[in-house]
Amino acid sequence: MSPDDEFGDLKAIIESLIFASPDPVTLKVLVKTLDGEPPEHIEEALAMLGQEWNDRPGGLQLVEVAGGYQIVTKPELHEWVRRLFHEHSKQRLSVQALETLAVVAYRQPVTGPEIAEIRGVNTSGVLGTLVERRLVKVVGRKAVIGRPFLYATTREFLDRFGLKDLADLPKVEDMAEALGMEVPAALTEGYPTDAILPFEPDPDPETPPAEPPEKVH
Amino acid sequence: MSPDDEFGDLKAIIESLIFASPDPVTLKVLVKTLDGEPPEHIEEALAMLGQEWNDRPGGLQLVEVAGGYQIVTKPELHEWVRRLFHEHSKQRLSVQALETLAVVAYRQPVTGPEIAEIRGVNTSGVLGTLVERRLVKVVGRKAVIGRPFLYATTREFLDRFGLKDLADLPKVEDMAEALGMEVPAALTEGYPTDAILPFEPDPDPETPPAEPPEKVH
Amino acid sequence: MADDDNRAAAAGGELESHAHFESILPEYPFKVGDFEGPLDLLIHLIKKNEVDIYDIPIVLITKQYLEYLDLMKELNLDVAGEFLVMAATLIHIKSRTLVPRLETESGDDEDDEDPRDLLMRRLLEHQRFKAAAELLHERETVRSAQWARPDGRVEEIAGEPFERELEVDLFSLLQAFQAVLSRARERPPVRLPEEVVPIETRIEELRERLATVEACGFEELFADVSSRRELITTFLAVLEMIRLKMIRVFQQGTCGPLRIYARMRPTDAPRPLNDPDQGDASPAETSGEDEDKG
């Protein structure tokens, strides 16, 4: 093996180590990992690698930071990276949204204050997102004081989850059985027996609104 | 600015996005993040970038996986990287899990009873494990008696097995000689091409609901 | 191939970390309890006897299959139901192969088929998926040798906390609902403070309702409220509406039911208390003015 080839291999190994490491990789760590390789070879390979990265156009750079080496995006591209993550968080259905969707699905038609009471937190913003995504819609107003909106799931929701109708929504026992899991005893009760509730003001007064309705005075 | 320079910038931006993204970056995400850039430019820049990375020596490579692009270390350097980080976080899958996963992958969407029929054993426990590990997801219920759940593989599955998409699933004919038996043509046809249901806000009419037509054998 | 390897593969639980993927062509000696299911056992018997899967010697295979089940029983091993079902299938196939067909039956298409065909197809398919699993495992091995930029650096790069996107399915939906329910159960049963609906809001609601009907009973105004606070709010709203000359109240007889009518507000009607234009109106000034007796 010619010395050049050898350095080629060494550079490749060092590069992969720097890339895969969560923290900047120090010379010391490299020497220890590449046990048997003369430290001056490693230093030389590192210098060559630094030069190559320096000459390389593109979006990444090799930097020396905190006594070690790390591959990072070029600072002038940070705005784009920020946009990527912004786009990501816009797209993502957060745990919050999923929980809210689940409550709407299993308790529909249901009002914002009722959802907030079950979840223990205010959910109005998340509900808006779900309505925007056409997974949830307003189906009327509940005939209680404040006349809060009643929410239910949409046709789109059924399609997304591969359900024919709301009666298809699985009960926890169904899924536990299909997947060979234990059903937590506490969770077998309290499911809606008749999942399909027509749009109809619920005369049941037992759940008082827990949160101011949309209307503000 | 010359067209070349423009692509240079675009390539640099795309490269930084691919590096920064926690998951493989899809063309769709790139188009959204680079709002205003013609998609065909992005595709062209991507192709150029792929070529450049391919030609580049060193420890890293650009791969196409799970519908997107990702920068990873070269597999032949695995031992070195492992030496530095010791553990590999991924838990191995058992033979049963792998075989069940294979049935789901090639037959999706498929029900539990159908999987049991093919494998000759009840597989609900294994299925539960696969669902919990997010390699398999529940995509709906089949319109037959008992309304069994329908299963399909996830993006995580593609990622774990380094597959670009479902069409990238290994073809079983390749294995026929190893088996020492011919595989009847009827058994090797009918791979699903893309049954992935990403959860995204914009309703995607091209993504079919999970309900399949009745399968005939 | 080492026996230990075979044992690990055959016994492997779903997450057994030491279990590694076995070749689908094991040459291991017959080991009781090694087979995950009847199809695995049949494949083993076919290979052991070096017979053609397309022309299974059903008598021989059935005999050996049943012997295996007997052995399992002798060793007090649990014989899973699937093994018994397959035994019945094999016996059925054997009987159909041995019994010469009657003339009358030969017209039936189904009877022209070799009874072993269905079994053969199942075995081939089973093998196909075992092969697929092995191919997948190879891909997995290559993939697991590729290291991505560590997740730990994402927040540093993103400059914000990062939450990985969920691939939402029915399972995660149900899981989310379970999480909500169990949290709700653990929460101390504290009621969030009851909402205070302003009188103005209640007036607006009552006015909307009266606009749709000519008149309604006094009690009907309270039909949609239950709590004491809401009752009081509604009562105060009615009083205020009378003062503002928005409604008229009639009573039939001294103890008869009250009826409420919406009315056009006269121009000289008092203004609401919080009306910015209002200067002179006070509750005392107009009280009782509109209460006509019927």
Side-chain angles (χ1 to χ4, degrees), chain B residues 19-23 70 73 88 94 96 99 107 117 119 121 133 137-138 155 159-160 182 187, chain C residues 12-13 15 24 36 54 82 122 125 128 130-131 136 139-140 143-144 147 149 162 164 167 169:
Chain B
F19 172 82
S21 173
D23 294 308
Q70 192 177 39
T73 60
H88 210 305
S94 70
Q96 288 104 304
E99 288 180 10
R107 278 293 158 83
E117 168 75 18
R119 301 211 53 234
V121 285
R133 297 178 72 176
K137 63 187 167 181
V138 183
R155 212 167 28 211
D159 198 312
R160 184 184 179 110
E182 263 172 67
L187 290 177
Chain C
L15 291 177
I24 57 160
E36 196 204 347
Y54 295 100
E82 294 107 7
R122 277 192 71 187
E125 192 175 47
R128 189 168 85 87
K130 284 181 107 59
L136 278 177
R139 300 292 293 259
E140 187 188 23
R143 175 63 175 165
S144 66
W147 294 66
R149 188 207 15 68
F162 175 77
R164 183 168 248 112
E167 200 166 349
D169 69 345

Side-chain angles (χ1 to χ4, degrees), chain C residues 105-121:
Chain C
E105 283 178 326
S106 64
D108 201 329
D109 273 353
E110 198 198 340
D111 281 345
D112 287 342
E113 199 191 7
D114 190 326
R116 297 173 302 172
D117 279 1
L118 182 62
L119 180 63
M120 181 219 23
R121 279 201 300 270

Side-chain angles (χ1 to χ4, degrees), chain B residues 92-174:
Chain B
R92 282 181 181 278
L93 290 168
S94 70
V95 180
Q96 288 104 304
L98 264 169
E99 288 180 10
T100 306
L101 197 50
V103 176
V104 176
Y106 286 89
R107 278 293 158 83
Q108 57 189 299
V110 66
T111 67
E114 286 163 358
I115 299 168
E117 168 75 18
I118 291 169
R119 301 211 53 234
V121 285
N122 181 311
T123 40
S124 56
V126 183
L127 260 178
T129 309
L130 293 172
V131 168
E132 272 179 344
R133 297 178 72 176
R134 302 273 173 218
L135 295 167
V136 163
K137 63 187 167 181
V138 183
V139 291
R141 307 184 87 161
K142 189 162 179 168
V144 295
I145 289 173
R147 313 277 307 151
F149 293 111
L150 282 163
Y151 303 94
T153 52
T154 60
R155 212 167 28 211
E156 175 75 25
F157 162 80
L158 293 176
D159 198 312
R160 184 184 179 110
F161 290 87
L163 304 168
K164 272 188 246 182
D165 47 38
L166 288 180
D168 195 25
L169 275 172
K171 298 279 176 287
V172 183
E173 299 99 292
D174 306 346

Side-chain angles (χ1 to χ4, degrees), chain A residues 113-126:
Chain A
E114 285 162 0
I115 299 168
E117 182 165 301
I118 298 171
R119 292 199 53 226
V121 286
N122 186 314
T123 28
S124 50
V126 182

